């Protein structure tokens, strides 16, 4: 409930700002994103059903019986639980017993922006629109559980799933995850929030034992999970691959029972990540309800299959324990209207113009303008006769790739497609690819193994391709480079080795810039890279993401000025990897164990507390207009711990274009009993302001948000004293400060 006030105020501002969301999303935005509890209505029926089931039938419900279902009980009318990946859109249908695609004509889906793109919108209404749309697609494909959202904290920029996860900040994370989950579950589909928990690296992900202090766990790694359970009422949770304090997540009583169920009141089911279970009795009794994985050697051999039947027969596991898990799954099925008498289960829709439009709306709020010092953007096409479009990402498609995060889609508009359609016919486009992107097959990859086919030549350019790119740039009035990465280079199951731009792109960018000073550099990527040289040599830098079916259109509209960029970085872009907390403390990638030595100082909290300048700070992103913040004040001077602080200010558009700005509220506490980060995000609001106008921005901070987790009393404590709120447009661009006292 903690972030509800904020979401509400952000949502209301958005409504007033008439941003591009469909009516449905606007309506749900105003609900302040409260999820619905699972229904108790059928508890009597559930008891009756379970009393009729054989041990074998019950156990069949607790493990995978195809790649993405468990086993139903036909004679009792219990359907299979149908699950589908994933965070970027509904994955294509696979063979029941293998990862091989079925190559159907009927399983095309909308490709939605990856986590980085969604979080760069800094817009809870966009997260709700995302959840609603992807939930509708899941229903159209008759799924019960969507294996998304994925939102582990981005602890290191090198993490393979950085593109898929959302942010380095726990507050931004939960502000987006809650509306996303509510949107999905409003469609009678369970969100499976993943990966619970401390799943922050791919290196040794199947075995690494993560250790961190309790305060760090509670303040950084759990808040979005906690809010997804308590506020959004998520119906399922995915147990991660890794261990936490010695126990695998899927057999971790502390995480699954003590925190998830006893403290947070979780009523749904825990589904294991694929092949993440390692025991029978321990996993079941700790709280795993459904073991999923691959069909090797056979589904009957799963830990929660025949070995479980045997354990019951030998008296090692009580049948009542099994009943408990079966009942949870049945409760979820009734809640989703997959069972019972309800005839109004959402039917859904997929691959529709409405969903492409929603994907566009999200993408168009996510593009981040990193630099525009020569005012080359928006690009003025008057008098322009030719444009060089250079780089593999001008034409690359990013919907597929990255294991569970791939989507088979009919529509993926590339930047080149979009520019061709949107530029005046009189302008000639001179295209050159500039560099190749080839990879080794992904067998047994581990940390450091993601390299191109010819490992030694990863950064070597083909001189002929460079010459073509330079020639295209020279003969054109303007050059636009589309560079960055792709879904093979940034992927599940492997972390990156360093921040270097792959494929020799740095040299290519320099060569193009030397050939044509009017060069615009556009990155399409999902994780931080070393942009030092690019930043030194260029005046115009734009950042886009693996941005969904309409990513190219959104990007082209930003370039051409139809859309004023309003995206903000959801993580810190460091100057050097050594500056990043997990690397500065030499605690990544670890070995068998991984100690999170940086503690609570994750992301910008580290950079700001240690006074290390990043290349681009958390929350950063420019606009084609300028804004001024004035008259920042709070509604009172002093508060008690159950009150909510309202901070208001005037946001004035002082430039020449209508635009949206994200006002960010960071809190600092000077004197404290415990270690404090220099700044912590505790509120934000995205507001549209017309040229010359001023809008009142209101950000609500429940005093409870100011609490720290006290390890001695195992509770959240709001320390009395003075708190300073720093209001700005990035974590490093603070424009106003106000202080309050908490009694
Ligand atoms: C991933 C999950 C995914 C599952 C099923 C695992 O490798 O970690 O995120 O949902 O596969 O595809």
């Amino acid at each position: 409930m903690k972030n509800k006030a904020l979401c509400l105020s952000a949502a209301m501002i958005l409504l007033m700002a008439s941003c591009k969301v469909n009516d449905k999303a606007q309506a749900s935005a105003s609900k302040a994103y409260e999820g619905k509890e699972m229904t108790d209505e059928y508890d009597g029926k559930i008891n009756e059903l379970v009393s009729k089931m054989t041990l074998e039938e019950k156990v069949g419900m607790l493990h995978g019986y195809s790649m993405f279902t468990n086993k139903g009980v036909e004679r009792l009318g219990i359907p299979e639980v149908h699950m589908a990946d994933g965070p970027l859109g509904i994955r294509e249908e696979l063979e029941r017993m293998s990862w091989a695609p079925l190559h159907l004509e009927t399983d095309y889906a909308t490709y939605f922006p990856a986590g980085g793109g969604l979080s760069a919108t800094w817009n809870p209404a966009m997260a709700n629109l995302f959840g609603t749309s992807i939930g509708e697609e899941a229903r159209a494909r008759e799924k019960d559980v969507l294996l998304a959202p994925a939102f582990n904290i981005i602890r290191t920029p090198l993490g393979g799933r950085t593109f898929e996860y959302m942010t380095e900040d726990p507050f931004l994370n939960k502000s987006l995850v809650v509306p996303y989950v509510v949107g999905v579950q409003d469609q009678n589909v369970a969100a499976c929030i993943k990966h619970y928990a401390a799943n922050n690296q791919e290196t040794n992900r199947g075995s690494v034992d993560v250790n961190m202090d309790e305060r760090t766990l509670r303040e950084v790694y759990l808040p979005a999970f906690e809010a997804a359970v308590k506020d959004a009422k998520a119906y399922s949770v995915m147990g991660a691959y890794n261990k936490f304090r010695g126990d695998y997540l899927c057999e971790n009583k502390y995480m699954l029972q003590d925190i998830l169920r006893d403290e947070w009141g979780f009523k749904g089911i825990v589904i294991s990540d694929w092949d993440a279970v390692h025991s029978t009795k321990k996993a079941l009794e700790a709280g795993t309800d459904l073991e999923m994985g691959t069909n090797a050697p056979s589904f009957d051999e799963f830990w929660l299959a025949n070995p479980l039947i045997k354990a019951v027969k030998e008296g090692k596991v009580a049948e009542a324990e099994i009943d408990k898990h079966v009942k949870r799954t049945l409760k979820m099925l009734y809640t989703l209207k997959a069972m019972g008498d309800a005839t109004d289960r959402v039917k859904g829709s997929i691959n529709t113009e409405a969903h492409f439009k929603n994907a566009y709306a999200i993408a168009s709020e996510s593009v981040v303008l990193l630099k525009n010092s020569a005012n080359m953007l928006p690009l003025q096409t008057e008098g322009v006769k030719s444009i060089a479009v250079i780089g593999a990402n001008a034409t690359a498609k990013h919907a597929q790739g990255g294991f569970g995060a791939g989507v088979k889609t009919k529509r993926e508009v590339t930047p080149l497609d979009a520019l061709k359609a949107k530029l005046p016919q009189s302008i000639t486009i001179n295209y050159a690819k500039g560099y190749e992107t080839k990879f080794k097959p992904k067998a047994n990859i581990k940390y450091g193994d993601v390299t191109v086919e010819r490992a030694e030549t990863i950064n070597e350019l083909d001189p002929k391709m460079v010459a073509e790119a330079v020639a295209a740039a020279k003969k054109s009035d303007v050059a636009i480079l589309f560079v960055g990465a792709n879904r093979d280079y940034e992927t599940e199951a492997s972390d990156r080795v360093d921040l270097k731009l792959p494929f020799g792109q740095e040299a290519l960018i320099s060569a193009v810039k030397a050939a044509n000073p009017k060069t615009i550099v556009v990155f399409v990527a999902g994780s931080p890279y070393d942009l030092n040289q690019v930043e030194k040599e260029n005046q115009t830098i734009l950042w886009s993401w693996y941005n969904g079916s309409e990513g190219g259109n959104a990007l082209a509209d930003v370039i051409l000025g139809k859309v004023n960029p309003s995206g903000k970085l959801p993580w810190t872009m460091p100057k050097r990897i050594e500056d990043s907390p997990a690397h500065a403390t030499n605690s990544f990638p670890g070995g068998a164990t991984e100690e999170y030595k940086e503690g609570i100082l994750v992301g910008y909290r580290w950079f700001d507390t240690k006074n290390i300048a990043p290349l681009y700070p958390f929350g950063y992103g420019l606009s084609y207009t300028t804004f001024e913040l004035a008259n920042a004040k709070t509604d009172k001077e002093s508060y008690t711990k159950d009150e909510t602080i309202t901070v208001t200010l005037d946001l004035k558009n002082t430039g020449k274009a209508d635009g949206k700005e994200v006002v960010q509220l960071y809190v600092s506490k000077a004197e404290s009993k415990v270690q404090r980060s220099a700044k912590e995000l505790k509120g934000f609001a995205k507001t549209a302001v017309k040229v010359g106008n001023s809008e009142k921005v209101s950000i609500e901070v429940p005093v409870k948000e100011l609490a720290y987790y006290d390890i001695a009393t195992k509770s959240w404590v709001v320390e009395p004293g003075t708190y300073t709120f720093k209001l700005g447009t990035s974590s490093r661009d603070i424009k106003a400060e106000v202080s309050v006292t908490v009694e």
Side-chain angles (χ1 to χ4, degrees), residues 68 85 91 161 194-195 205 238 241 273-274 492:
F68 285 92
D85 282 313
R91 188 177 185 172
R161 301 185 92 158
K194 69 189 191 182
H195 306 85
R205 69 171 180 178
M238 187 181 288
Y241 282 126
D273 201 339
W274 269 235
E492 177 185 335

Side-chain angles (χ1 to χ4, degrees), residues 186-224:
D186 276 349
Q187 313 312 317
N188 305 139
V189 176
C192 184
I193 55 174
K194 69 189 191 182
H195 306 85
Y196 184 71
N199 179 251
N200 310 98
Q201 67 182 56
E202 297 304 283
T203 308
N204 304 326
R205 69 171 180 178
S207 58
V208 65
D209 184 11
V210 173
N211 283 302
M212 67 180 91
D213 64 87
E214 190 67 16
R215 186 175 164 212
T216 299
L217 176 71
R218 301 296 185 138
E219 291 188 17
V220 178
Y221 294 94
L222 293 188

Side-chain angles (χ1 to χ4, degrees), residues 714-736:
K714 296 196 168 80
S715 63
W716 292 93
V717 171
V718 180
E719 210 179 357
T722 306
Y723 291 81
T724 307
F725 292 161
K726 303 185 174 187
L727 295 140
T729 52
S730 86
S731 62
R732 290 274 170 145
D733 198 357
I734 301 303
K735 314 264 196 205

Side-chain angles (χ1 to χ4, degrees), residues 669-712:
K669 174 115 186 57
E671 274 150 30
S672 175
K673 279 201 278 200
V674 292
Q675 180 199 24
R676 295 276 184 170
S677 156
K679 279 187 214 100
E680 285 182 16
L681 184 74
K682 292 294 174 197
F684 62 90
K686 190 168 193 174
T687 311
V689 193
K690 295 213 176 297
V691 178
N693 279 15
S694 182
E695 298 286 346
K696 194 62 65 235
V697 173
S698 169
I699 301 177
E700 303 201 329
V701 184
V703 173
K704 287 199 179 99
E705 267 302 335
L706 306 176
Y708 69 89
Y709 188 83
D710 182 39
I711 44 172

Side-chain angles (χ1 to χ4, degrees), residues 159-170:
R161 301 185 92 158
T162 300
F163 78 93
E164 189 182 348
Y165 293 164
M166 302 233 191
T167 168
E168 66 187 24
D169 178 77

Side-chain angles (χ1 to χ4, degrees), residues 535-573:
E535 147 79 20
K536 238 176 253 146
E537 295 176 356
N538 290 276
Q539 290 76 45
T540 319
I541 310 172
L542 200 58
W543 185 276
S544 185
W545 311 88
Y546 305 125
N547 230 356
S549 287
E550 287 283 331
N553 277 333
L555 187 52
D557 283 344
V558 168
I559 291 171
L560 299 174
K562 191 177 161 205
V563 170
N564 189 349
S566 65
K568 299 275 180 177
L569 290 179
W571 32 246
T572 305
M573 185 92 78

